[in-house]
Amino acid sequence: MQRTVAVVGGGISGLTACYHLARSPNAPKIILLEGSGRLGGWLHSTRTEDGAVFEHGPRGIRPTGTVGKNTLLMVSELGLDADVLPVPGDHPASKNRYLYVSGALHRLPSGIGGVLRTVPPFTRPLLWSGLRELVAPRGTQPDETIHSFVSRRFGKELADIAIDSLCRGVFAGDCRALSVRSCFPALFEAERRWRSVILGMALGGGKDPALDSALSRRARDERWSQWSLRAGMETLSEALQDFLRRRGVEMHCHARLQCLERTAAECWQITLEDGSVRADHVISAIPARALAVLLPGWAEPLAQELRSIEAVSVGVVNLQYNGATLPITGFGHLVPSFEDSSLLGIVYDSVAFPEQNGTCGPSVRLTVMLGGAWFEQGFGDPDTVPLAVLLSRAKEAVRAHLGIVAEPSRTIVKVLKACIPQYTLGHWQRTVPRRQSPGSWTRPADLPPGARLLN
């Protein structure tokens, strides 16, 4: 008999899991269950009547590595090649990235010249940090915070300024709490195998298999730093939905789960508000704490682990200024926590993707990121914070950092609640597969990020 696989959660992880299942030989019957009224999760784009695009979640994808190359292959198979907006290596958004330190914007060093000379906000050439790393001894701990790891190998100044800012931009999190083993596994493995991160990244890369495609070869030749889609990143989730419908995948929105239970016939009984579904296997692509609520009593040890994974909220403020100009060009700038903990950074969307500016004439589109691990400290409860407070804070930052004093012509404010999980020190121990009688849980390497398999 044909197996049935239920995928719980219709964000990009759940949709991608369905995609790979539907393409597999002897594809099973696939049922996608999403609790909200829309699919796509954090991929959420607003398209205005004049053609402007505003991203409330991810605005671009990196093309490198196994995941990046395989994603480009999927994009090609979905027929989206002509919609791809690349940012090549010689583009200002690839070359110019900034930090806001001591009330001023500083371009991050790039090229040999930037490494050999002192470039503010750093107090000495980054060459010295590299030389220090090459001779630093191998760490002895099974895990380490990102800040501790970088301080030990490259020096405290680099950790305090650059790495602090990077972790706020990537994870909206605190590098003094996040795990280097879980957040930057390539760095951890490079030190473990080669004793030096620099040597390890230079000599030990390119080992993972990746599926090649014309689009990934183009990305390599043109040295893309990232790419988006002409009508916004939500185009990707829409194309996946179209593909899945054609493959006969059952997709259900407003399917709110009540509990999961293992039956005597060794299948899963999924209880919904208005019925139930049976499946041989379940792939969970919902937040860890949401899954913990659904698990049966015998899986309490797993539920306890899942409940311990925290997630932070981010305020996302999209702003458009007609007729304005930026004082600099680049991808955007990040703000270290010691400078302003509640302001993570500002992305210059109109620089990287001017095709999404719309037809209203010259304009500047920005996205201001607020809160993260510091949300409650800076703004209070994400469930009750007035959106006007976030908007005011964002406009104030644009005035202070970029000198744009005019009122924006368009504003959109969103609070993405518990949107980014925080893989803190020791998180790697939670990812070790374990048996939970009478079912099991694992996180196989071939599942998309965010997905877990119950079988």
Side-chain angles (χ1 to χ4, degrees):
M1 294 180 62
Q2 185 184 34
R3 296 171 301 140
T4 297
V5 177
V7 177
V8 178
I12 187 60
S13 292
L15 290 170
T16 305
C18 291
Y19 169 80
H20 288 292
L21 286 169
R23 291 175 67 254
S24 62
N26 302 316
K29 177 182 178 181
I30 306 165
I31 304 173
L32 177 63
L33 303 171
E34 164 60 36
S36 74
R38 61 177 289 275
L39 300 173
W42 302 120
L43 290 188
H44 191 186
S45 310
T46 292
R47 300 143 181 164
T48 66
E49 293 181 357
D50 62 3
V53 177
F54 298 91
E55 301 285 11
H56 313 305
R59 64 211 55 250
I61 297 177
R62 296 182 64 84
T64 55
T66 302
V67 173
K69 293 175 182 177
N70 290 348
T71 302
L72 285 173
L73 175 62
M74 180 176 69
V75 166
S76 289
E77 292 178 340
L78 292 171
L80 296 175
D81 297 62
D83 297 307
V84 172
L85 297 178
V87 182
D90 59 356
H91 193 282
S94 295
K95 297 189 298 183
N96 302 333
R97 294 168 185 259
Y98 295 85
L99 297 177
Y100 186 80
V101 180
S102 299
L105 289 168
H106 303 278
R107 182 173 176 266
L108 283 169
S110 62
I112 296 298
V115 173
L116 295 179
R117 68 176 185 271
T118 300
V119 177
F122 305 103
T123 59
R124 64 177 186 173
L126 293 184
L127 173 65
W128 293 110
S129 295
L131 293 175
R132 171 185 174 133
E133 199 284 326
L134 288 171
V135 299
R138 181 185 283 111
T140 59
Q141 299 301 313
D143 197 5
E144 199 170 356
T145 68
I146 299 171
H147 186 274
S148 172
F149 180 88
V150 174
S151 294
R152 177 172 56 80
R153 299 209 63 85
F154 293 91
K156 188 173 183 296
E157 183 177 68
L158 196 68
D160 286 347
I161 300 175
I163 300 304
D164 177 280
S165 302
L166 174 66
C167 290
R168 283 159 59 80
V170 175
F171 306 105
D174 186 352
C175 66
R176 293 162 182 80
L178 296 173
S179 157
V180 70
R181 182 167 181 169
S182 296
C183 296
F184 295 114
L187 304 186
F188 179 84
E189 290 299 328
E191 182 194 42
R192 172 172 285 191
R193 182 176 178 186
W194 298 91
R195 190 193 54 76
S196 163
V197 170
I198 294 175
L199 289 177
M201 300 303 289
L203 302 175
K207 300 298 184 182
D208 294 333
L211 300 175
D212 199 15
S213 67
L215 203 56
S216 65
R217 290 192 295 272
R218 181 186 164 199
R220 179 197 61 211
D221 294 342
E222 298 176 4
R223 298 182 298 111
W224 296 1
S225 61
Q226 62 172 318
W227 57 270
S228 184
L229 294 168
R230 191 169 302 277
M233 289 305 303
E234 194 169 353
T235 306
L236 178 57
S237 67
E238 292 165 347
L240 283 167
Q241 293 170 56
D242 290 341
F243 173 88
L244 297 175
R245 288 190 189 97
R246 294 194 301 270
R247 292 296 181 103
V249 175
E250 295 183 21
M251 293 181 285
H252 304 275
C253 289
H254 300 294
R256 297 181 178 86
L257 276 64
Q258 300 295 300
C259 65
L260 296 167
E261 188 54 81
R262 195 74 165 167
T263 70
E266 296 191 352
C267 67
W268 287 94
Q269 179 83 13
I270 306 170
T271 303
L272 308 172
E273 283 186 345
D274 56 356
S276 64
V277 172
R278 285 204 172 198
D280 298 288
H281 307 282
V282 176
I283 294 177
S284 171
I286 58 177
R289 291 191 175 187
L291 176 59
V293 174
L294 303 175
L295 291 176
W298 52 261
E300 176 54 30
L302 171 59
Q304 184 175 351
E305 291 281 8
L306 294 172
R307 284 193 295 269
S308 67
I309 301 175
E310 297 183 1
V312 298
S313 300
V314 177
V316 178
V317 182
N318 304 106
L319 304 170
Q320 185 171 27
Y321 296 85
N322 290 338
T325 58
L326 288 168
I328 55 176
T329 58
F331 177 78
H333 68 264
L334 295 172
V335 183
S337 59
F338 64 79
E339 182 78 20
D340 186 337
S341 62
S342 63
L343 176 64
L344 303 176
I346 303 177
V347 183
Y348 314 157
D349 299 305
S350 55
V351 175
F353 305 113
E355 302 89 343
Q356 297 175 339
N357 283 353
T359 59
C360 63
S363 67
V364 169
R365 287 181 304 111
L366 305 170
T367 302
V368 182
M369 305 290 189
L370 301 167
W374 299 265
F375 196 102
E376 286 80 4
Q377 173 186 324
F379 303 106
D381 189 341
D383 288 322
T384 59
V385 60
L387 298 185
V389 170
L390 300 179
L391 177 59
S392 174
R393 183 69 184 86
K395 293 193 295 183
E396 174 192 338
V398 170
R399 285 193 295 269
H401 295 198
L402 299 172
I404 301 178
V405 298
E407 280 295 306
S409 56
R410 182 178 280 122
T411 65
I412 307 174
V413 185
K414 303 281 186 181
V415 178
L416 308 186
K417 299 171 186 175
C419 63
I420 304 180
Q422 302 293 286
Y423 299 146
T424 53
L425 189 66
H427 176 79
W428 66 274
Q429 294 173 304
R430 301 189 183 108
T431 65
V432 177
R434 66 198 68 191
R435 185 74 185 173
Q436 297 282 344
S437 177
S440 66
W441 166 82
T442 188
R443 169 66 178 84
D446 57 347
L447 283 181
R452 300 172 181 85
L453 174 64
L454 296 165
N455 54 21

